[in-house]
Amino acid sequence: MNGKAVKIKLKNGSSQIGFLPIQSNNEIFEKTQIAFLPWDKSDDFYAFFKARTTVSNQDLQKYVKYINREEIDSYEIMESEISVIGIENGKPVPNWLKLQLYKKAKPGHLAAKYKIPGNSKWFELGELQIIDRQITLPLTLLFLSYAKEDKKTVKLAMNDLHDNGVLTWFDEKDLLPGDDWEAKIEEAIEKSDYVLVFLSSKTIDKVGYKNKEIKYALDQYSLRPSGKRYIIPILLDECTPPREFKGIHWLKATEENWFEKLLVSIGKYPIDKDIID
């Protein structure tokens, strides 16, 4: 493992990322210890010793830490290559999602940012660890269920969600020619973190595929842990929610700050909010 980037997990619960750059049988070190070079000191370490043929213990101690073997719980070698990019929990990647990955100083990690189709903003995801040659994006995905009469209003809400970095599954943009559309819709409902059901007085009693989506979402809701948010009914005007939603609190889009409440309910917060000192 000499020269390899590793993450060392200690028995006290902490972890450290760095390198094992020196032979462990060097007489400078006790057999009960390993020489560990923290990643944030590695550049200075290699620059300092680049032109040197001998190393003193005093010089090493400026950069290298000694870790007792008995303090180590486990370790893993940090990976440097990726072959798969996915979203956590196997969520489908929305069509035309733009992603940029770039190297940062921390070994075994890539920084990531993404842009939602039709939106000019880039959203930072921070540094993500490479595990089994894969980068997993921690993104929230919302399935939007609606009737076509409400599509214009729903698209406005979708654009606001995109402005806050929230991914959506919307049939008009995510179904492609040749797709088994019913299977794609069911998969998206299953995999999404939340299902937003938009209702209005024009469509609440209407017969259509929306009702099948609602039934399928309710079936999925019954499989999830009790009390966990999943279906969020949104009333676009003064209508009464169907009896199937009697145990689920709904959101009225006619009320002030309804969109902020929606963001909070899915674990997000408005990006363009005032910061109070």
Side-chain angles (χ1 to χ4, degrees):
M1 294 193 301
N2 295 310
K4 295 282 188 180
V6 297
K7 177 189 281 187
I8 293 179
K9 296 181 180 179
L10 303 179
K11 292 179 180 178
N12 64 9
S14 65
S15 61
Q16 302 179 46
I17 295 176
F19 303 88
L20 303 178
I22 302 168
Q23 295 289 342
S24 59
N25 60 358
N26 191 302
E27 63 182 7
I28 294 174
F29 302 103
E30 299 291 338
K31 291 181 180 180
T32 58
Q33 294 180 321
I34 65 167
F36 181 77
L37 175 63
W39 68 271
D40 56 347
K41 293 186 177 182
S42 60
D43 287 345
D44 292 339
F45 172 86
Y46 289 114
F48 183 81
F49 292 110
K50 184 176 181 180
R52 290 168 172 76
T53 56
T54 59
V55 177
S56 72
N57 189 30
Q58 186 176 3
D59 286 336
L60 282 172
Q61 288 182 342
K62 296 176 183 177
Y63 306 98
V64 175
K65 296 176 63 175
Y66 303 99
I67 301 178
N68 293 326
R69 295 182 187 274
E70 63 182 17
E71 297 176 5
I72 298 174
D73 180 59
S74 62
Y75 72 88
E76 59 179 308
I77 298 176
M78 305 303 289
E79 301 179 50
S80 60
E81 298 181 356
I82 64 170
S83 58
V84 178
I85 299 173
I87 301 180
E88 61 185 4
N89 301 325
K91 286 175 278 195
V93 180
N95 296 325
W96 303 293
L97 179 72
K98 293 185 178 181
L99 182 69
Q100 286 189 4
L101 300 175
Y102 45 99
K103 291 186 177 180
K104 300 286 279 187
K106 190 184 296 183
H109 292 71
L110 291 175
K113 62 181 181 179
Y114 67 100
K115 185 161 69 170
I116 297 173
N119 193 291
S120 61
K121 297 180 182 179
W122 283 96
F123 299 95
E124 297 282 349
L125 288 173
E127 294 185 0
L128 307 176
Q129 185 176 345
I130 304 170
I131 300 175
D132 295 332
R133 298 174 63 91
Q134 176 170 329
I135 285 289
T136 301
L137 310 177
L139 296 174
T140 300
L141 178 64
L142 274 57
F143 181 92
L144 308 185
S145 178
Y146 67 100
K148 65 180 181 180
E149 290 85 353
D150 296 324
K151 181 166 67 173
K152 184 177 180 180
T153 303
V154 173
K155 288 181 75 172
L156 292 174
M158 178 184 72
N159 292 335
D160 288 340
L161 288 166
H162 291 176
D163 281 342
N164 285 272
V166 181
L167 302 187
T168 62
W169 201 99
F170 185 76
D171 56 359
E172 188 176 272
K173 70 178 175 64
D174 289 294
L175 287 175
L176 298 177
D179 279 346
D180 181 338
W181 60 270
E182 190 166 355
K184 286 287 187 180
I185 288 174
E186 289 182 356
E187 179 191 19
I189 292 173
E190 290 174 16
K191 298 292 187 179
S192 292
D193 296 291
Y194 303 93
V195 174
L196 305 190
V197 180
F198 292 87
L199 302 165
S200 74
S201 55
K202 295 182 296 183
T203 62
I204 199 162
D205 295 322
K206 183 184 175 184
V207 175
Y209 191 78
K210 172 180 67 70
N211 297 323
K212 191 171 182 180
E213 287 180 356
I214 291 173
K215 184 178 184 304
Y216 195 78
L218 286 166
D219 289 341
Q220 291 298 310
Y221 180 53
S222 68
L223 300 176
R224 283 165 165 72
S226 178
K228 180 176 174 60
R229 292 191 193 102
Y230 174 60
I231 297 175
I232 302 177
I234 300 177
L235 309 186
L236 299 176
D237 57 21
E238 295 300 325
C239 60
T240 302
R243 62 179 181 275
E244 291 89 345
F245 294 150
K246 64 180 180 180
I248 303 174
H249 192 56
W250 55 83
L251 180 61
K252 289 186 177 182
T254 55
E255 293 183 352
E256 188 177 2
N257 299 326
W258 77 271
F259 187 75
E260 286 75 10
K261 288 182 180 179
L262 174 60
L263 291 180
V264 172
S265 70
I266 63 172
K268 298 287 184 179
Y269 295 91
I271 290 177
D272 297 322
K273 62 187 298 185
D274 294 332
I275 299 175
I276 301 175
D277 293 331

